[in-house]
């Protein structure tokens, strides 16, 4: 039989058929009333997704990193200092981006697997009054950690600095309140909670960031938020947008609206809980001390080759999970339960982990993890 594929990676994530079909629809031109209507609908849906009424959400043709770079070039000037919370690969990316543009960057280094102590942000802001922007990662996908964005936002509000949040694996997955928390700018991308193929990035910008956007003096052209804002007001985009992906986004937002954001958050929380308990039932240890609901990062047990483990699952069973990145390579594996996923996906993922561990010589009582997941998912109906 041809190999059947299962995607349990934290991006890309499975795409519902309605979304794929919307993407496959015949192309329309983007300088038309038809497209403007789609863009308007999408904009409304996106504002709801970010929980913002004050802000605007800009659509960028890129993966998530493009939106991160856009934040740097639109919000900083050459003489500014940026503060970056660095507790994994994605926090590091903020620092690399700031440095690539020659911005002086101070980092708060957080032990991998831990969330940042919000007080550390306060201490840094107190110490250096030149800090103009604070960059954080809501869910650090490389370690499976969730940071306390709400508390950090409360702190940053007391200082003349903007808060920019990488919410790429948070928006549409777990509670994220842009207006209520007063986050100035937040970004996400299509291939995570939005259940779409990669290729679109989104930047939600509250009016509090506009002044800085006007004055920022780093070089920018394709990523210029001013041009995007002006175009959006006219119902369009500055350049040719990823038309098909925007049509897919419309379909994805409809699916999200139908389920309802709160139910979506609740579903991810249940699936995450079931996954965490089942790997623990197999005798494994979680890597993240403050785990997020998007993925579960698990320490590879002694005696198992972590790299071979994920490779075996992919090659032998068609099951893709993620390994560790950089220093964590071979030391952890990461199972995603984000987006288009339900109870049976968790059963499949846990079953695959059992098989993979067994193949690697780790003692597994067949079905122990699966039974744990099943019990949780049966008891905890919603
Ligand atoms: C996926 C992801 C990104 C963006 O990565 P791209 O490959 O550029 O889409 C950024 N931050 C986090 C936390 C992510 O999970």
């Amino acid at each position: 039989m041809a190999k059947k594929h299962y995607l349990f990676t934290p991006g890309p994530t499975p795409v519902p058929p309605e979304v794929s079909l919307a993407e496959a629809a015949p192309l329309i031109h983007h300088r038309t009333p038809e497209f403007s209507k789609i863009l308007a609908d999408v904009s409304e849906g996106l504002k709801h997704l970010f929980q913002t009424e004050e802000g605007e959400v800009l659509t960028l043709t890129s993966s998530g990193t493009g939106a991160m770079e856009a934040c740097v070039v639109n919000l900083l000037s050459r003489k500014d200092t940026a503060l970056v919370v660095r507790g994994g690969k994605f926090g590091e990316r903020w620092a690399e981006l700031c440095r690539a543009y020659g911005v002086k960057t101070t980092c708060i280094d957080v032990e991998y697997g831990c969330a940042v102590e919000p007080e550390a942000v306060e201490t840094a802001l107190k110490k250096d009054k030149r800090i103009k922007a604070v960059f954080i990662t809501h869910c650090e996908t490389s370690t499976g950690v969730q940071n306390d964005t709400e508390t950090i936002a409360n702190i940053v509000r007391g200082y003349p600095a903007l808060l920019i949040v990488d919410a790429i694996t948070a928006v549409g997955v777990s509670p994220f309140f842009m207006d209520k928390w007063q986050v100035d700018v937040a970004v996400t991308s299509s291939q995570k909670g939005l259940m779409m193929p990669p290729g679109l990035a989104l930047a939600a910008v509250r009016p509090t960031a506009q002044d800085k956007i006007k004055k920022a003096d780093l070089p920018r052209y394709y990523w210029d938020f001013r041009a995007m804002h002006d175009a959006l007001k006219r119902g369009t985009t500055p350049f040719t947008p990823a038309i098909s992906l925007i049509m897919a986004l419309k379909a994805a937002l409809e699916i999200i609206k139908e389920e309802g954001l709160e139910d979506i958050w609740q579903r991810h929380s249940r699936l995450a809980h079931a996954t965490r308990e089942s790997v623990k039932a197999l005798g494994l240890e979680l890597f993240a001390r403050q785990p997020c609901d998007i993925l579960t990062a698990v320490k590879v047990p002694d005696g198992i080759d972590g790299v071979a483990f994920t490779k075996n699952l992919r090659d032998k069973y068609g099951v893709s999970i993620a390994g560790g990145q950089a220093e964590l390579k071979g030391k952890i594996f990461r199972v995603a339960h984000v987006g288009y996923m339900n109870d049976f996906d968790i059963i499949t993922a846990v079953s695959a982990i059992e098989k993979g561990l067994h193949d690697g010589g780790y003692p597994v009582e067949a079905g122990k993890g699966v039974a744990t997941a099943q019990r949780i998912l049966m008891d905890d109906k919603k």
Side-chain angles (χ1 to χ4, degrees), residues 118-149:
E119 300 76 53
V121 175
E122 175 121 54
T123 309
L125 285 167
K126 255 195 205 130
K127 204 163 120 196
D128 189 346
K129 293 284 184 296
R130 289 164 308 175
I131 293 170
K132 291 287 164 34
V134 180
F135 293 90
I136 65 168
T137 316
H138 187 61
C139 290
E140 179 47 83
T141 317
S142 65
T143 60
V145 164
Q146 164 123 9
N147 283 303
D148 183 356
T149 298

Side-chain angles (χ1 to χ4, degrees), residues 54-104:
E54 299 165 13
E56 281 300 345
V57 186
L58 307 170
T59 30
L60 287 66
T61 307
S62 71
S63 77
T65 308
M68 295 171 75
E69 179 154 347
C71 287
V72 170
V73 298
N74 281 285
L75 300 166
L76 290 172
S77 291
R78 288 178 176 84
K79 296 216 170 71
D80 288 346
T81 299
L83 177 66
V84 173
V85 169
R86 203 161 56 164
K89 199 168 153 38
F90 294 105
E92 279 157 22
R93 189 163 302 174
W94 277 133
E96 285 163 12
L97 278 164
C98 290
R99 287 185 176 141
Y101 282 93
V103 171
K104 187 167 174 286

Side-chain angles (χ1 to χ4, degrees), residues 90-242:
F90 294 105
E92 279 157 22
R93 189 163 302 174
W94 277 133
E96 285 163 12
L97 278 164
C98 290
R99 287 185 176 141
Y101 282 93
V103 171
K104 187 167 174 286
T105 307
T106 305
C107 293
I108 298 174
D109 282 311
V110 182
E111 191 191 332
Y112 282 10
C114 297
V116 67
E117 295 286 350
E119 300 76 53
V121 175
E122 175 121 54
T123 309
L125 285 167
K126 255 195 205 130
K127 204 163 120 196
D128 189 346
K129 293 284 184 296
R130 289 164 308 175
I131 293 170
K132 291 287 164 34
V134 180
F135 293 90
I136 65 168
T137 316
H138 187 61
C139 290
E140 179 47 83
T141 317
S142 65
T143 60
V145 164
Q146 164 123 9
N147 283 303
D148 183 356
T149 298
E150 184 176 12
T151 305
I152 296 170
N154 257 323
I155 291 168
V156 177
R157 208 178 302 150
Y159 294 84
L162 294 176
L163 177 64
I164 300 107
V165 182
D166 170 350
I168 292 180
T169 35
V171 164
V173 180
S174 52
F176 187 82
F177 300 97
M178 179 122 185
D179 284 357
K180 193 161 120 203
W181 295 350
Q182 298 188 33
V183 169
D184 298 295
V185 180
V187 297
T188 192
S189 64
S190 54
Q191 79 276 25
K192 315 274 169 109
L194 276 169
M195 310 175 287
M196 289 173 56
L200 270 192
L202 305 151
V205 183
R206 283 180 59 242
T208 46
Q210 288 303 342
D211 190 46
K212 203 69 179 121
I213 292 172
K214 260 184 229 133
K215 293 182 185 147
D217 73 2
L218 290 180
R220 53 183 154 164
Y221 186 79
Y222 191 64
W223 295 140
D224 195 331
F225 281 168
R226 294 167 300 185
M228 294 182 206
H229 266 290
D230 289 349
L232 189 59
K233 273 193 224 136
R234 289 180 277 114
T236 188
T237 52
F239 311 104
T240 310

Side-chain angles (χ1 to χ4, degrees), residues 9 18 32 42 48 54 93 96 111 139 150 184 192 206 227 240 259 290 293 297 305 314 323 329 339 375:
T9 48
E18 296 89 327
T32 55
V42 161
H48 177 65
E54 299 165 13
R93 189 163 302 174
E96 285 163 12
E111 191 191 332
C139 290
E150 184 176 12
D184 298 295
K192 315 274 169 109
R206 283 180 59 242
T240 310
E259 184 177 359
Q290 291 86 3
D293 286 342
D305 175 339
R314 189 193 61 210
K329 193 170 175 160
R375 209 171 312 112

